[in-house]
Amino acid sequence: QLQLAQSGGGLVQFVGSLTLSCAASGFSVTTYPMSWYRQTTVKERELVAFISGSGDRTNFPGSMKGRLTISRDGAQNTVYLQMASLKPEDTAVYYCYTPTFGRWGQGTQVTVSS
């Protein structure tokens, strides 16, 4: 029952924007922290966004800092990753993750065309 279901991936043009969704089951995303990662065939899975359980802290460790917004909707029990000014090098499979429970979303492909 505890799972993460992702949606929102797809093809977007250079400097375009996209929002990814991660709907949680079995726990509240407004109680526990959530993370977003990305992975390519040439680089290991990389943390790109984090939000604390209380929502008072966010972090964007990677090269996408300044182009990301992480947010939550308690009513939908969903975490969102808003991605702006996308570049071809942002092309990757993106995963949501609950560090508390060690569960990954199924991943969604984001492809940015030049």
Side-chain angles (χ1 to χ4, degrees):
Q1 188 62 224
L2 200 158
Q3 60 182 321
L4 301 174
Q6 298 182 219
S7 61
L11 176 66
V12 65
Q13 294 180 333
F14 180 50
V15 306
S17 61
L18 198 64
T19 299
L20 306 182
S21 299
C22 177
S25 300
F27 70 97
S28 173
V29 300
T30 60
T31 301
Y32 295 95
M34 292 292 294
S35 301
W36 286 92
Y37 288 75
R38 69 179 183 181
Q39 186 172 14
T40 70
T41 58
V42 297
K43 189 175 182 180
E44 65 185 12
R45 196 166 296 187
E46 172 192 25
L47 177 69
V48 298
F50 170 84
I51 186 167
S52 64
S54 64
D56 62 346
R57 293 185 295 112
T58 60
N59 191 35
F60 306 98
S63 63
M64 300 181 76
K65 183 179 180 178
R67 300 187 287 117
L68 297 177
T69 301
I70 187 169
S71 60
R72 313 173 303 177
D73 185 325
Q76 296 294 121
N77 204 31
T78 297
V79 177
Y80 302 94
L81 184 68
Q82 300 177 41
M83 315 166 72
S85 300
L86 287 165
K87 308 172 182 178
E89 51 264 45
D90 296 323
T91 295
V93 178
Y94 286 75
Y95 299 86
C96 61
Y97 179 67
T98 165
T100 304
F101 302 104
R103 301 293 178 89
W104 296 91
Q106 79 274 22
T108 184
Q109 176 71 45
V110 173
T111 302
V112 185
S113 62
S114 59

